[in-house]
Amino acid sequence: MSQTPVGIDGIELWSGKLRLDLPNTFAPVKDEDPEKYTKGLGVEHSSLPDVYEDIVTMGANAAKQLLDRKGLTPDDIGRIDVATESAFDNSKPVSTYIAGCLEEVYEDDFHHANKGERKFACVSGTQSIDDAYNWIRAGRNRGRAALVIATDTALYERGDPGEATQGAGAIAMLIDSDPDIVALSTEQGFGSADETDFLKPNQQFPSVDGKRSMQVYLARMREALEDYESIADDTHSDDFAYIPFHTPFPGMVRKAALLGFRHISRGTDVESALASEIGSQPRESEYVSREAYEEAIRGYMDELKETDTYREWYETAIDPTVNIARMVGNWYTGSVHIARLSTLMSAVDADRDLAGEKLLVASYGSGAQAEIHAETVQPGWREAIAPINVDTQLEARYDLSFDEYERVHDVHNHEKDTEIEAFTTPESEFVFTGWGRMSERRYEYVE
Ligand code: CAA
């Protein structure tokens, strides 16, 4: 007898209400070619938080939108897991703050919900979904759903190369049995190793070895794919309608997708069909040294990415996954979940019938760990995705000048004491109002 599916039943997103235009505002000040951002990294805008926004307000606002749309109240929720790399407290979890906010606007409360905070860089959003999945599968949920919120202010030190990849926002997901959107596979693959590519040792802004972080991303992703295949069988490009990746910036996905395609087409009809055009894939046993083999691989990949077969696959299975990332930057823990949402929204726009089709979801967190699993799109996906108002939110963002960007970056810098007027006016949302007597952060709902 097959098991009841468990997966994502609802999604809502809350973007930081400001935006930085990379080609038009950032590039001229940095004296860089705008195409470095639009074509190289693949990003147009970063979402940034206004002065009254932070990981709690964005998370609570996304969660409230989700509960309201699903017609749920706190009594329907048995756990709240928050994934973040931007936490401001080493003891009290962000989920308690978010629950506190939500309890201001609902009659019932979350006193019997299990709350926590997950940490493993950007992969912790996916790990929180795992925890919820396992809790439901174990039958400990008492018929209730789990709320998973991935929320981050992904800010870098000004002048750091990562500054061009910043972002801020939250994505809230409801995990339940018989989900409307996607059901998760039991099979998972992991690629995990102790790495020092990107870390925040008790500091707000990350220490980053940018170029190395990209190599580590690719190496762990490859391990995770091999591990996934060891349990779920070999993958083929025809198996998956879309492959959403963790997207620190779309250029990273471009690199990962090419490696991924080489891997999943090796030894298949796809490799055979391409052989007359670009030859077969180099096999290590055919080369006298590792260097010679690696050079042959680079040559093969350069040719592979120019083939119609690869371009068509990329355009169909990968490009739609980065539509939102292009407009918002990196949201760390939320990034791969934005990629999934971007995919599904693009399928709604294209009027594609996705029910029953599969996604291969590739998450990554620095430090470092990749995780790969499959998801099956459920019959209710279109009705669940179509109402999500991403475009309206993104269009409403305030467009910062460079000087304004620097001031708001300072406001969110924990080392600085900067106060400026907000750029936008809050309406029907949670806002940060200041600190309490024990240095706790305080919030209220503004009608
Ligand atoms: N036209 C077109 N393309 C251009 C261009 C132009 N005028 N100028 C540059 N480019 C291209 C470059 O060729 C390069 O592309 P390739 O890598 O394909 O060659 C791309 O634009 C970026 O240019 P640079 O490599 O010169 O950029 P940089 O050195 O200033 O910074 C970075 C790039 C190292 C990734 C930096 O943004 C960074 O440190 N980011 C933070 C770390 C990060 O995101 N790492 C990703 C993996 S780790 C992870 O995924 C976890 C996470 O979320 C942080």
Side-chain angles (χ1 to χ4, degrees), residues 1-38:
M1 211 176 76
S2 65
Q3 283 183 312
T4 309
V6 174
I8 305 176
D9 190 53
I11 305 177
E12 271 294 347
L13 162 154
W14 188 276
S15 168
K17 293 169 80 177
L18 309 178
R19 71 167 209 201
L20 177 64
D21 184 319
L22 291 163
N24 297 305
T25 306
F26 189 73
V29 178
K30 298 285 171 184
D31 200 20
E32 292 275 12
D33 180 350
E35 294 202 337
K36 168 172 174 180
Y37 305 106
T38 53

Side-chain angles (χ1 to χ4, degrees), residues 32-42 85 121-122 154 156 160-165 197-198 206 208-218 246-249 251-252 254-255 305 330-333 335 364-367:
E32 292 275 12
D33 180 350
E35 294 202 337
K36 168 172 174 180
Y37 305 106
T38 53
K39 296 213 165 125
L41 294 172
E85 296 182 52
C122 308
Y156 290 75
D160 186 287
E163 195 182 7
T165 67
D197 51 332
F198 171 111
V208 195
D209 185 343
K211 300 288 181 205
R212 185 164 152 63
S213 73
M214 296 164 74
Q215 293 311 317
V216 176
Y217 176 117
L218 296 174
H246 167 60
T247 312
F249 51 92
M252 185 72 237
R254 215 167 43 226
K255 292 180 199 296
K305 71 173 179 234
N330 190 359
W331 287 12
Y332 287 164
T333 54
S335 160
Y364 175 73
S366 296

